Amino acid sequence: GENVEQHPSTLSVQEGDSAVIKCTYSDSASNYFPWYKQELGKRPQLIIDIRSNVGEKKDQRIAVTLNKTAKHFSLHITETQPEDSAVYFCAAGLSGSARQLTFGSGTQLTVLP
Amino acid sequence: GAVVSQHPSWVICKSGTSVKIECRSLDFQATTMFWYRQFPKQSLMLMATSNEGSKATYEQGVEKDKFLINHASLTLSTLTVTSAHPEDSSFYICSAILAGGPASTDTQYFGPGTRLTVL
């Protein structure tokens, strides 16, 4: 089955700096890679996703890059703000088949004011 | 749109009793719902995949007789923790996928979770 590794487990940055979280996956068949943000005590919320037919996707301050050959993908947050503080999970799965996602272990991001 | 609710949001029960958790898709139909368990400061561990009108598919190591899943309609799945014990205490979260549609419906929409405490 799929195995997703996520690093780092904790990340502290100064407000305004950038944050990068990296994930690797093992199953070359995976072609759907979402990122979820989970604030303390709340539900995970999708913030961005990418499919294997593209290498990069941006949405305002958030971007995700995918390297299919190396089987890794990364989340980039620029101009970080205190409200970006949360746990971020990457995941990998198959698009369009309603199959389950395999989640990474999560990264606790703290943005220091 | 795409709101998923869970009920109850928290429950405390005595050891040996059963607890039912409901997961509802409020404004869309979901042929597939997933049940996860999340320990403090840990990731989402998939317990089972629930498909409307058929038996759930359980992940390895998850006891199907202990965690009963029923997906009787396109908007409701239930998880029943039978004969609960303190080690079953955890945060249980469901998610749902929009039925049919293009690849853009890959998104899993999560419920707010249920905190179960077994005394």
Side-chain angles (χ1 to χ4, degrees), chain A residues 97-100, chain B residues 30-35 48-59 69-78 95-99:
Chain A
S97 61
R99 291 179 62 177
Q100 61 262 38
Chain B
T31 50
T32 303
M33 291 183 173
F34 302 95
W35 286 96
T49 301
S50 170
N51 292 297
E52 187 265 336
S54 63
K55 291 184 178 180
T57 303
Y58 291 82
E59 294 300 298
I69 292 172
N70 183 274
H71 193 158
S73 76
L74 286 172
T75 59
L76 174 64
S77 176
T78 60
S95 70
I97 288 182
L98 185 66

Side-chain angles (χ1 to χ4, degrees), chain B residues 74-116:
Chain B
L74 286 172
T75 59
L76 174 64
S77 176
T78 60
L79 168 68
T80 301
V81 183
T82 62
S83 187
H85 291 284
E87 57 265 31
D88 298 324
S89 298
S90 189
F91 194 56
Y92 293 87
I93 309 181
C94 70
S95 70
I97 288 182
L98 185 66
S104 60
T105 56
D106 292 328
T107 303
Q108 287 192 24
Y109 299 95
F110 283 86
T114 297
R115 174 74 59 192
L116 170 64

Side-chain angles (χ1 to χ4, degrees), chain B residues 34-46:
Chain B
F34 302 95
W35 286 96
Y36 295 87
R37 187 171 177 177
Q38 187 175 35
F39 291 103
K41 297 186 178 181
Q42 293 192 26
S43 188
L44 297 155
M45 300 301 296
L46 181 66

Side-chain angles (χ1 to χ4, degrees), chain A residues 1 4 9 14-16 22 24 27 31-32 36 45 50 54 56 61 67 71 74 88 104 106-107 110 113:
Chain A
V4 177
S9 56
Q14 287 295 136
E15 183 177 358
K22 299 181 179 181
T24 60
D27 189 348
N31 60 2
Y32 175 59
Y36 283 85
Q45 299 263 17
I50 190 168
V54 297
E56 184 176 3
R61 297 187 296 109
N67 183 325
K71 288 189 285 189
S74 300
Y88 291 81
T107 296
T110 302

